[in-house]
Amino acid sequence: MNYEYLFNIIHDKDRVRFGKNIEEKYLSDGLKRVKGVADILVFPLTTEEVSDVMKFAYENNISVTPRGAGTGLVGATISTTCGIILDLSLMNKIVELDEDNLTITVEPGILLKNLQAYVEERELFYPPDPGEKDASIGGNISTNAGGMRAVKYGVTRDYVRGLEVVLANGDIMNLGGKVIKDSSGLDLKDLIIGSEGTLAIVTKAILKLIPKPKKSISALISFESLHKGIDAVIKIIKKNANPTAIEFVEKDVIQNAEKYLNLKFPDIKGQAFLLLTFDGDEELEIESNYNKVREVTLESGAIDFILLNKKEDIDRTWQIRGALVTAIEAVSEQEPIDIVVPINKTADFISYTKVAEKKFGIKIKSFGHAGDGNVHLCVIRDGMEEEEWNEKSHLLLKALYNKGKELQGLPSGEHGIGLNKKPYFLEVTDRVNIEYMRKIKKVFDEKGILNPNKLYE
Amino acid sequence: MNYEYLFNIIHDKDRVRFGKNIEEKYLSDGLKRVKGVADILVFPLTTEEVSDVMKFAYENNISVTPRGAGTGLVGATISTTCGIILDLSLMNKIVELDEDNLTITVEPGILLKNLQAYVEERELFYPPDPGEKDASIGGNISTNAGGMRAVKYGVTRDYVRGLEVVLANGDIMNLGGKVIKDSSGLDLKDLIIGSEGTLAIVTKAILKLIPKPKKSISALISFESLHKGIDAVIKIIKKNANPTAIEFVEKDVIQNAEKYLNLKFPDIKGQAFLLLTFDGDEELEIESNYNKVREVTLESGAIDFILLNKKEDIDRTWQIRGALVTAIEAVSEQEPIDIVVPINKTADFISYTKVAEKKFGIKIKSFGHAGDGNVHLCVIRDGMEEEEWNEKSHLLLKALYNKGKELQGLPSGEHGIGLNKKPYFLEVTDRVNIEYMRKIKKVFDEKGILNPNKLYE
Ligand SMILES: Cc1cc2nc3c(=O)[nH]c(=O)nc-3n(C[C@H](O)[C@H](O)[C@H](O)COP(=O)(O)OP(=O)(O)OC[C@H]3O[C@@H](n4cnc5c(N)ncnc54)[C@H](O)[C@@H]3O)c2cc1C
Ligand SMILES: Cc1cc2nc3c(=O)[nH]c(=O)nc-3n(C[C@H](O)[C@H](O)[C@H](O)COP(=O)(O)OP(=O)(O)OC[C@H]3O[C@@H](n4cnc5c(N)ncnc54)[C@H](O)[C@@H]3O)c2cc1C
């Protein structure tokens, strides 16, 4: 293939890199394990460049793998075939802040942390808050990222008002807009959200903002066992106390992260913890909310309830929460899972992981978003030999995904399917659903050039 | 066509009606104007019956028009070809209330008013609140219905967790579930929502509930002119006062509805009004919210601000608001429009309607959901001769839809497109979007038997 033509599209030589000039990090993702292949890496600066690259790829049947910040955990951005990696990180501008309509229009490469800082300086708020702040908004949209604040505020999908996308053949399509309501034909916008770059390239997004809550505090609640903690969650939710986040974690996972970061978790007795935040404008409202939670958790057997008021305590505690996965990874290779089950099945699912640990002889650490049933598991390799690990972990994962299904759950709450979860996704998803996903893929990308071999393919 | 075969599927003769035994109301919709055609009307009781009817229709290339309660305003449920009307009104059961997960599973034919009453008796709440409470949930889902409370709570789409649908070929597909988060493949669920029966038949829905707010009050604010009222809306929104509803209406429209219902609107000076509700659990929170609104509206030139505290006053006032369209219709044929624009363009759009009234010599009444830019217009025939009306109203509508587009709006915020708005929808929607909608239609319904000739077709 003569890729030289790309210089007619992208005039800046620095933004077109060939073969061995492609740094390794561009061939992998947030797990940094699997290494993909690619002929060329391009960094477009404009929608027109993206469109022209896609036209070239379309005409020449070249595969194109869109890439945001490469922090994904499921291999979705790993290029599996020779072809183009289309890295959107340089398209990272804020196009417009509209304070009347409370929207911000951004290019896809902007990092979440930069977007959050920009709006919060202006007393505005972009609620979706996945753990990795160095992810791009384009990546967040393409995986429908969730995060800590989903309990109160919802996920990325809920904040995407409009999209500009480039299709496989290079055509540009606009979806939604600044309007709040939309019953104007088929909902193509939501089809693109969460499609992990398999249907189109997101080149612009209009995001919904809200006024920034004036106050935010956290509460830490401890229990004798994880099971007791999880049992309390459903009671908290029924109390209508409007928490922003409800995370759960066991003591040994915390200790590991404390060591890794060399930071101290608040001093509290117990084997398992719930970490909550409450936000709002009125002190009284927040107080009434956390008091409801204090009452109901102490009634249902919590050992202790402490309020984190000081910014420094709050930041440190959440920093530890944020580092759980990385701290585990520092000790051992692990396979991250984010199965989601109905909230009242969370405890059952976690109980099953304890059974599965024994049955398959592999350690599992569980923690995550208790408030929305999105359990995060780390399946830990712990030095196991390659062959044994591959075989055993596959059986364990299969069992876990099937358990999730049995409990009326789904394989991914926020990370997506990508490459790594594809076999399990195909196993637990009805044939007819996969069939229609594939047919829709054909509508958008009949040549199969956009992020091939992922998800449902 | 030998429809007798349907008796093998639906054993109850009463639930299969032929030609002249089809009552007229089943051939029309909420506007009761256009009369469609159909060979046969069936009332399935189960998903299996729906599936079997679809298999029969698919094999024999018979068109099928799904029907909920027939209250739609855009002709979407009017059968345009000989074939089957599939009326889902008898599939109206509540399948399961899940108080742990705060979900309710229902059949599509259940009426909104019955669902609302059922959950509210149990201190739960289904927030979507379109004006017509005799609509079915299946219809609400298929049009992505909005309504009064959308400002605070969102629209129908935001409350659909899971769907069971029957496809054109009779296959059954399950989408989503009781889980809160979902990044598990392409979002087929949102594609079905709002598709007006053109992609699949909704046979079951899992809906999200919230705890019922303990208190609710309304406020009525009056202005010298509609323009002043609309200008105040954006200020209200920026105050972060969390109103549940913000409706606007002019005095003459109110007077018309007062006469029609023989009810009295609260005594208040002014030519135009904003009607708001606030709800929540804490008296103080509500008070703080309406005080913010009182302050900002009086500052920006409101004549009066009155609080409606008594249930009786609130009910009467909202009853009048609910009857605006019907009261207008009682006087003259009208064409309803629900163009949606970015909130800060609402005033511009309404100003344009005043210009357009003069230019085209047709009266326009405007009112509606000021809090989300979803302007409702009634274009009034007022006894105009058929030919003149058809010609003039078409030009006026075309101008209005184009103005909506110019203001970055969309043709429908909540009613859908159906038959009536199809020409305007096709006019203001990009070709590429229409092309992809048509291709997706082909994926779901390659024979074109499901609700033909609607929306994007
Ligand atoms: C420590 C850590 C914590 C994390 N915590 C969370 C969490 O709490 N919640 C959560 O949801 N996720 C979490 N993640 C996962 C990850 O951050 C998210 O999936 C994120 O959305 C990926 O964004 P990215 O820019 O890195 O995308 P990438 O990894 O580069 O790509 C992800 C997918 O999106 C596609 N894509 C990227 N940009 C575009 C575009 N412009 N157009 C079309 N397709 C595109 C890619 O092709 C790929 O399929 C975490 C990851 C790490 C490493
Ligand atoms: C006085 C009045 C006030 C109104 N106020 C509002 C309002 O405030 N907000 C708002 O959004 N709407 C409003 N509407 C419009 C109407 O009530 C809604 O569009 C409603 O959602 C239609 O529901 P239905 O059951 O009557 O559906 P129908 O009119 O029977 O059908 C509507 C569409 O849905 C399809 N459909 C119905 N059931 C199914 C199913 N089970 N599977 C697949 N397709 C199906 C039909 O084919 C058709 O395309 C109002 C209507 C009236 C008459």
Side-chain angles (χ1 to χ4, degrees), chain A residues 99-101 143-144 157 174 181-184 187 238 240 281 340 343-344 369 372 374 412 414 433, chain B residues 99-101 143-144 157 174 181-184 187 238 240 281 343-344 369 372 374 412-414 433:
Chain A
E99 300 203 46
D100 274 350
N101 291 303
T143 57
N144 187 23
R157 184 184 300 286
N174 283 284
K181 291 154 90 182
D182 181 358
S183 288
S184 308
D187 180 9
K238 285 188 167 182
N240 200 11
D281 286 352
V340 60
I343 303 179
N344 71 342
H369 310 313
D372 50 32
N374 193 196
S412 171
E414 52 180 35
N433 297 48
Chain B
E99 301 203 46
D100 275 352
N101 291 304
T143 57
N144 186 23
R157 182 183 303 285
N174 284 285
K181 289 154 91 182
D182 180 359
S183 289
S184 308
D187 181 9
K238 286 189 166 180
N240 201 11
D281 285 354
I343 304 179
N344 71 343
H369 311 315
D372 50 31
N374 193 197
S412 172
E414 53 179 36
N433 297 47

